[in-house]
Amino acid sequence: MLIAQLTDLHIGEGRRLAYRKVDTAGALEKAVAHVMAMVPRPDVVLFTGDIGDLGSRDEYALVAEILTKLTIPYFMVPGNHDRRGPLRAAFPYATPVRADTGFVNYVVDDFPLRLIALDTLDEGKPGGVLGKTQLDWLRDVLLDGDGRDCAIFMHHPPIVTGIAHMDAQNLGAGAEELAAIVSVHRDRIKAIFCGHVHRPIHTIWAGVPLMIGPSVAHQVAFDLRADGPSAFVMEPPAMHLHVWDAGQHSLMTHLAYLDRYDGPHPFFGPDGKLIV
Ligand SMILES: [Fe+2]
Ligand SMILES: [Fe+2]
């Protein structure tokens, strides 16, 4: 089973450039074209938040128009730049909430790996929270799954990455409680997929692999200084491709670039000969 994770689209109304520089709508079009051209093609796409930039209906209408070319199943969780109401209205099939708790929490049981969507949005604020409703809901679905292997996908990472201006807006309240729940079920939670930091970052958290996916549009500058300013860079847009092997109960994550950049520069040709 192949899971493509596309994150932090930041689509602006009328194809508005993000930061007056980044063609995020064009970046999403390229990402969709890339996914659709892949052989083998991913089974499902997970959008881990910041679908829109301001969370308006017009932004989501533009996303929906671009995603008409994405003809494989896809699912979404909101990020801090999203608004639940307009997001759910535009993408009911990609946010299949069963019991309406007011949050975009749901489970996808259609694939060999169970996918659990967890809503960390604290609407209007940059940082994320998990309140009692979401934590109780997660506890229940983890007890419910007949012991099936699963992955959780959510926007805000519950970790300190070292990129200070992003750590200031990570998952705050509820992170400790989440760690306790995840730890209990660590044998069958195969991974947690997050967005928000716009960079590929990997760690083990609460006994489980946790990966932050790179943005399909623009990246956050790599800067581990404690007083590093908020800064963005145009590194190659990319995605994570998660490969789930149900027979081996193993998950592997690849980084795949989505657009042209100064490279790649092969030094072995297709005939196996060294290029000098
Ligand atoms: Fe973002
Ligand atoms: Fe975000």
Side-chain angles (χ1 to χ4, degrees), residues 170-194:
N170 67 359
L171 181 67
E176 272 180 43
E177 293 87 342
L178 177 64
I181 295 169
V182 167
S183 178
V184 168
H185 298 280
R186 62 185 175 276
D187 287 345
R188 60 196 183 80
I189 301 175
K190 297 303 169 185
I192 301 174
F193 308 136
C194 298

Side-chain angles (χ1 to χ4, degrees), residues 8 10 50 81 155 196 198:
D8 291 272
H10 289 269
D50 288 356
H81 285 257
H155 184 65
H196 191 53
H198 290 226

